[in-house]
Amino acid sequence: MTTFTQNAAAPGATAANEAITKVSIIVSKGSLEGIYPALILANGARMEGIEANVFFTFFGMDAINKARHEHIKVATVGNPGLHLATWLGGFPGMSAIVTAQMAKSMEKLDIPPIPEFIELIADSGAKLYACKATVDMFELKREDFIDSIEGIITVGDFYQMAGGGQIIFT
Amino acid sequence: MPALTAVARTAEGFLERASDWDRDLAAELAAESGVGPLTDRHWLVLDYMRNTYLVKGDGPTIRTLGKESGVDIKELYQLFPKGPAKLAARIAGIPKPHGCI
């Protein structure tokens, strides 16, 4: 009888295509399109039984900032992917409109809004961290962040906990 | 009662035909996947997944599973540590979920 185990390498697998067992994902951008890919990667990792750490740095920290994580917007200026004239992208309210449209399409696919998605990922056992250098630079405190983060850590701590896994920078 | 060795399965161990499934087969699938023994809490998830598939043609997303199965996300990962949506789908005898969420 063939047995099927999660993450088992295919027969004849070499080190090059071994199953991934751990990922550490860095979120450095604070726009909606900068944050979602990392959240989908982190959630997807947990769904596959892969251990996941998420390290929020620079403007990416808005995703775990209590006052800000509900107000994350699509960048409508300097974003050629939107195929929107630059002058139009800069129009007041443009970012809010595009963000609302995107939220609708995501809701259809059952992709949660950022605050709910972050909680889902934390509940799934992924560990969330804020970057100490950025916290110091922006003069933030632990209370500025949602409860479900593990803590504020240094880049050295990050490398230590990322040991033995893959690192993804977004 | 079909035994696990007698039913057609995909390379990843999902049943080819959801109709081959019964609760004894689920116990065998669970044991093979390192889950279980199956409790009432597992069954709450498995029944919810199977019903969703039979009604909608695809299993639920992890978000819907956490909201509507009666088992929250934390417990889902305790019950099915190696990935709730995929593992529960396999044990519930339905195809591998198609979405990314």
Side-chain angles (χ1 to χ4, degrees):
Chain A
M1 190 184 104
T2 321
T3 54
F4 299 89
T5 46
Q6 210 71 13
N7 295 334
T14 60
N17 58 5
E18 254 171 33
I20 291 172
T21 56
K22 177 177 173 180
V23 288
S24 296
I25 301 163
I26 302 164
V27 188
S28 69
K29 305 213 169 51
S31 59
L32 188 111
E33 73 277 18
I35 292 170
Y36 264 108
L39 301 188
I40 290 173
L41 284 166
N43 176 60
R46 292 301 304 132
M47 291 206 315
E48 295 293 318
I50 298 168
E51 190 186 331
N53 298 308
V54 193
F55 185 66
F56 296 89
T57 184
F58 258 79
F59 299 110
M61 273 190 351
D62 276 2
I64 50 170
N65 184 313
K66 268 189 224 168
R68 295 188 165 186
H69 69 163
E70 282 174 12
H71 309 289
I72 288 161
K73 301 268 188 308
V74 177
T76 50
V77 172
N79 186 352
L82 274 182
H83 301 279
L84 198 68
T86 297
W87 61 269
L88 187 58
F91 231 63
M94 230 17 230
S95 191
I97 292 166
V98 174
T99 300
Q101 272 174 347
M102 211 163 274
K104 245 188 248 169
S105 344
M106 287 199 287
E107 188 61 44
K108 255 187 231 158
L109 295 172
D110 212 18
I111 302 175
I114 287 173
E116 182 191 336
F117 208 1
I118 296 265
E119 290 310 317
L120 192 160
I121 290 166
D123 284 349
S124 76
K127 302 275 195 296
L128 313 179
Y129 301 95
C131 157
K132 176 144 193 334
T134 318
V135 166
D136 291 347
M137 191 175 74
F138 290 157
E139 297 181 354
L140 294 164
K141 293 186 209 60
R142 176 66 183 83
E143 308 86 83
D144 295 316
F145 298 103
I146 54 171
D147 295 338
S148 48
I149 69 164
E150 292 290 312
I152 299 165
I153 64 170
T154 64
V155 62
D157 298 334
F158 169 77
Y159 278 125
Q160 225 157 35
M161 89 192 174
Q166 310 281 326
I167 295 176
I168 303 172
F169 183 87
T170 69
Chain B
M1 182 192 92
L4 199 49
T5 45
V7 297
R9 292 206 285 162
T10 68
E12 288 178 282
F14 291 82
L15 295 194
E16 293 276 8
R17 287 175 303 273
S19 56
D20 283 340
W21 184 90
D22 66 18
R23 294 174 98 81
D24 293 319
L25 204 64
E28 278 188 65
L29 284 161
E32 174 200 87
S33 320
V35 171
L38 295 178
T39 64
D40 288 350
R41 303 301 287 170
H42 289 99
W43 278 113
L44 207 56
V45 179
L46 296 173
D47 286 333
Y48 179 80
M49 292 217 60
R50 198 165 166 87
N51 290 336
T52 305
Y53 171 72
L54 293 176
V55 174
K56 294 187 178 165
D58 196 6
T61 62
I62 187 84
R63 182 195 193 192
T64 303
L65 204 54
K67 275 186 177 169
E68 292 177 17
S69 66
V71 173
D72 67 19
I73 299 288
K74 275 187 190 165
E75 193 184 351
L76 274 171
Y77 276 92
Q78 284 159 7
L79 295 170
F80 304 97
K82 288 288 180 188
K86 208 165 111 182
L87 268 190
R90 188 157 73 188
I91 298 168
I94 67 174
K96 185 179 172 181
H98 293 107
C100 285
I101 304 293

